[in-house]
Amino acid sequence: MTDNAISNAAGQRGFSRRSFIKGAAVLGAAGALTGCSAGNEGLEPAVDASKAGQEQIFSGACRSQCVQGCYLNVHVRDGQIVRTTAGDIAEERRYNRICPKGLSHPARVYSAERLKYPMRRVGERGEGKFERITWDEAIKEITDKWKGYREEFGPESIAFFLGSGNTGLLGGGTADGSVFQHLQTVMGACSVLPDRDIAFQDRMMKMFGPGSAMSDPSQWAKANHVVIWGTNPTVSCKQMIRFYLDAKEAGAKLTCIDIQYNTNASKSDWFLPVHPGTDGAMALGILREVFDNGWQDTEFVRAHTDAPLLVKEDNTFLRRSDLGIAPEEGPVNPRTGKPTVIDPEIVWDEETQSAVPAPQAAKPALEGVPEEVEGFKVRTVYSMLVDRINEWTVEKASEISGVSVEDIKTLARMYGQEGPVTTCMNQGLNHYFNGIYTYECIFALMLLTGNFGKEGAGLGSGGGQFGVSNAAGCVNQPSNKGEKPMGPGRNLNWTAMYDIVHNQELVGKPFPLKSLYCSCTNIVSNQTEQNETKKMLSEVDFLVVQEMTMNDTALYADILLPACHWFETEDLRVRAYNMPYLVYNEKAAEPLYESKPDFEIYKALGTAMGYGDFFDFDAKDYINLWLDSPVAKKEGITYDTLRETKVARNHQLPVIACEGGKFPFPNGRARFWQEKIVPDYDLGQEIDESKEHLMLYWEPAREANLDAPIREKYPFTVLAEHMRTRNHTQWWDVDYMKEFEKQPIARFNPDDAAKLGIVEGDTVRLYNDRGTMTVVAVISAGQQPTTIACPRSFLTREHIDGDFATISFNDYNQVSRNQCYFDQAVAVEKL
Ligand SMILES: Nc1nc2c(c(=O)[nH]1)N[C@H]1C(S)=C(S)[C@@H](COP(=O)(O)OP(=O)(O)OC[C@H]3O[C@@H](n4cnc5c(=O)[nH]c(N)nc54)[C@H](O)[C@@H]3O)O[C@H]1N2
Ligand SMILES: Nc1nc2c(c(=O)[nH]1)N[C@H]1C(S)=C(S)[C@@H](COP(=O)(O)OP(=O)(O)OC[C@H]3O[C@@H](n4cnc5c(=O)[nH]c(N)nc54)[C@H](O)[C@@H]3O)O[C@H]1N2
Ligand code: SF4
Ligand SMILES: [Mo]
């Protein structure tokens, strides 16, 4: 940090330290550092100090992109937040939880790094030199600039980055109907898509259909096998870990497939290490063994997937209309208001040896179909799947994945013979360039062995659905005069941002982007290829950052707006992946310094832009608007009831997703085949369609692949591990969390370390063509050879030199706008 930034932070310190120490005494007494509390089911809530009349307790929601969304009690004494404890959801105590981060909120509230007042940049971008200004000056300067850009270049010259740092409705940044999103829509500004965690969700939708493909965790205990495949619940999904252990207690065998030995592995019955980014190849090897033994679930596949459908030479399905019968109009689709089209796919009926619409076939054939049906050259999806599986051998899969032939065969037996199997996945496989193909192959394994839509068989991890929300209605809320919002503006992909800002062009066409507004995100630390991010932020005309702390993105702002802490304002926590309750957050204390609730800032900006009529609501109005949905009405959830109950059951996972093999596609069948390739982004990229039609394509990761030519120069691959003590970069400002994770490290396999002459505690530099980082070495036998693991949420100033976030690449798979955080190769130098 520069002198000014330091003096600014030091200026804040005087107040904060004193306040924090006062709070910390109570915190220590509460034993806040002893670790993560277990589930509280069956236990009474902890001692209620409020009974002694000393403390007032407010309801709170922990709402970072940890996405567990725990319900907390916020204890206040003399107007100061002194501690947090787990809230009590009496009807389902299995969701009562708090972790050390949740316990350390007072330290965030009173952190020395909090932004105190609005500021204007006076130094170079990134230097962190600012001067204090008033709120009026800040709002006027921002909106004067924006009005100028809008006049000259149109509304899309301003872009908003909707970040995930706060999963609240009023103050949050996410695209869940937040006020921030409403402001962006009203202004017709562009939205910069974070492009994170996309491949997993995308492939679920494409293969299993819209809606949730995740079964309720209560199902896991009914499985014979639970496979934790590329997810790290003990660190990343804390609401979930107890369900794995429940399943184990109930007799399920736990298998952990990971690239390193970690706590999940230590709790599992079987740990199976795999080479990074090769799980898809391993799944194909498992499938080969399954098919060689005839262990596939033919009847499930026939009845519930597109395997028997006939594909023509033009890659579309043979349909009744191809046989000369015009499509019929079906019932009106309530979403589009248009009639559905009835034009069923044709299958070959084994019983009658004739071509009939799939719903009328007695026994749709999977194989043995004539080459030509009704004048069309066709193949069943199934026969193409079999061909592709036959391109693989267990030995080839073993060679690529590093998993022994024996172990692959054991997995085949597990999936093919010893079900039901619940497969628990999340984002661990997502963060590679080949992420979509990995998921396709594993999902195919689940479908082809019939491990889906049945008790104890399916996809686990706990998902999230907003059963009760009217998010779109919130965002598109008309003004009180009935005017419509101008937007939404265009979506911009992260990977194109540097080009847009630098060349003022998007896919060869002029695109004068002038201003970027970030709230609830730390893009410098979290988006891929940091040096490119920094170049973009240095070149953009006008950057507004709304933040709680002076983090790496804040250092670049032209205008910095200080947001208050979550417990200093009212909100509703709407997003959570594994905790099925909405949580109402009461205001527990006054915002410190001159910080303000984000809700008020968004409203002030909207009003100053001349859109006051669109922001004529208070918290109650907006929450009620979001709750204006059939489900919330049915459940009787309103702002007033939430203020009473604090929590309300929200997104309900189906107990068994796609139960009975009913998939939410028009034909009810899960999909292996894509008729039409629809990339989820368009940057004029060329697409090799041969990779995309059949869901059993696999290719290696880009740099994590051991055989990639780049590995000659950069022999190690680096996992970006989520930190135990931070959610992304949040909690960086809590000093005592550093007792657990002090500084950036790189973990090496002992043999690699010996070859490199590295011992624990050495200073090492990891680098590639894109970036460099200097950190401390740690040696661990849990690390596979040629792989390094680095906890990844440190700020630049916490590294000895460089920054971890500089080494990743900023490029997407041809159809999936998915950032890759784990697919990176480096060389290592001992300093
Ligand atoms: N404490 C904490 N919790 C968090 C977050 C945080 O920053 N900190 N972030 C939140 C967010 S936004 C997300 S998206 C989730 C993500 O939650 P998870 O999906 O659980 O992802 P990760 O924590 O990255 O864990 C990935 C696991 O996959 C393993 N892995 C990596 N590559 C491979 C591979 O090629 N094959 C296999 N089989 N395994 C592999 C890693 O070793 C690791 O154990 O976590 C959320 N929770
Ligand atoms: N190398 C690497 N990079 C990664 C990942 C990885 O595994 N490795 N994981 C990726 C994933 S999966 C994700 S989801 C992203 C997450 O990326 P981000 O969403 O950028 O995550 P955070 O670091 O939590 O940043 C949130 C910011 O919001 C601020 N904030 C919190 N609450 C509020 C509030 O109420 N108001 C305002 N105005 N600001 C607030 C916090 O101070 C913080 O700076 O990171 C991605 N980046
Ligand atoms: S950080 Fe995550 S697991 Fe910890 S208390 Fe907050 S929401 Fe819960
Ligand atoms: Mo994420």
Side-chain angles (χ1 to χ4, degrees), residues 688-731:
D688 174 356
E689 292 211 351
S690 67
K691 296 181 180 182
E692 308 297 339
H693 283 294
L694 188 60
M695 298 299 202
L696 271 189
Y697 172 79
W698 186 79
E699 66 185 23
R702 184 183 271 189
E703 294 188 6
N705 170 21
L706 278 168
D707 298 324
I710 198 170
R711 295 296 286 271
E712 277 168 33
K713 193 168 166 201
Y714 298 122
F716 295 91
T717 175
V718 188
L719 171 75
E721 200 175 75
H722 286 183
M723 286 172 71
R724 211 166 269 278
T725 56
R726 296 185 187 182
N727 292 335
H728 304 294
T729 57
Q730 298 200 61
W731 277 268

Side-chain angles (χ1 to χ4, degrees), residues 234 241 245 248 254 261-270:
T234 43
I241 189 64
L245 301 179
K248 193 177 173 190
L254 276 193
Y261 186 84
N262 56 21
T263 314
N264 312 304
S266 76
K267 301 281 175 214
S268 298
D269 298 293
W270 190 27

Side-chain angles (χ1 to χ4, degrees), residues 65 196-197 427 431 722 728:
Q65 179 73 344
R196 306 163 180 155
D197 305 335
Q427 308 298 343
H431 296 163
H722 286 183
H728 304 294

